[in-house]
Amino acid sequence: MHEMSIAMNIVNIACKEAQKEDAKSIASIEIDIGKLSGVMLDSLKFCYDSACKGTLAEGSELLVNELPALARCKTCEHSFEIDSFMALCPECESYEIDILQGRELKLNAVSVN
Ligand SMILES: [Zn+2]
């Protein structure tokens, strides 16, 4: 299960951060997830608790910032929100776009006790 390994990865990194600070436990982990990251959020949240078992993060809360996907047209430089990689510019209907945001999957903050 893809989301299980992502959850374990997040917990793993957060635990290393917490250890650096000599924390007894982790209160919450905050992550950024872009709309085009391909991560199933419900599935990730479901896996999170099991990924935390037996670690400093056991009983912690997963806080998710969902980032909308943004693109800019290479032809007319119009910026707009997109739902998929195959989006087209609403201004000039070009497929030549740069994805500015939306593929993120990163640890944002770890709150420790
Ligand atoms: Zn355009």
Side-chain angles (χ1 to χ4, degrees):
M1 201 197 296
H2 185 51
E3 276 71 20
M4 189 65 205
S5 61
I6 295 170
M8 287 175 78
N9 210 2
I10 292 167
V11 170
N12 201 0
I13 297 168
C15 286
K16 278 181 189 154
E17 289 294 317
Q19 276 163 3
K20 266 190 231 162
E21 294 178 36
D22 266 332
K24 287 191 292 288
S25 64
I26 291 171
S28 65
I29 297 176
E30 194 181 321
I31 57 170
D32 286 346
I33 292 188
K35 201 171 180 181
L36 300 180
S37 65
V39 178
M40 307 279 291
L41 214 47
D42 287 344
S43 183
L44 181 66
K45 284 178 178 167
F46 180 78
C47 293
Y48 180 76
D49 284 342
S50 3
C52 288
K53 280 237 165 65
T55 73
L56 288 178
E58 188 160 352
S60 68
E61 198 183 349
L62 180 67
L63 306 170
V64 178
N65 297 322
E66 280 190 84
L67 302 177
L70 299 172
R72 186 173 51 220
C73 176
K74 285 184 186 175
T75 309
C76 73
E77 302 202 329
H78 179 65
S79 294
F80 51 99
E81 205 169 310
I82 55 173
D83 289 325
S84 79
F85 289 106
M86 290 303 292
L88 92 177
C89 175
E91 291 291 316
C92 71
E93 302 194 339
S94 167
Y95 279 104
E96 295 279 307
I97 58 169
D98 280 323
I99 312 280
L100 303 177
Q101 176 186 284
R103 282 182 287 212
E104 292 81 358
L105 172 56
K106 65 170 195 245
L107 190 70
N108 210 9
V110 181
S111 305
V112 296
N113 293 316

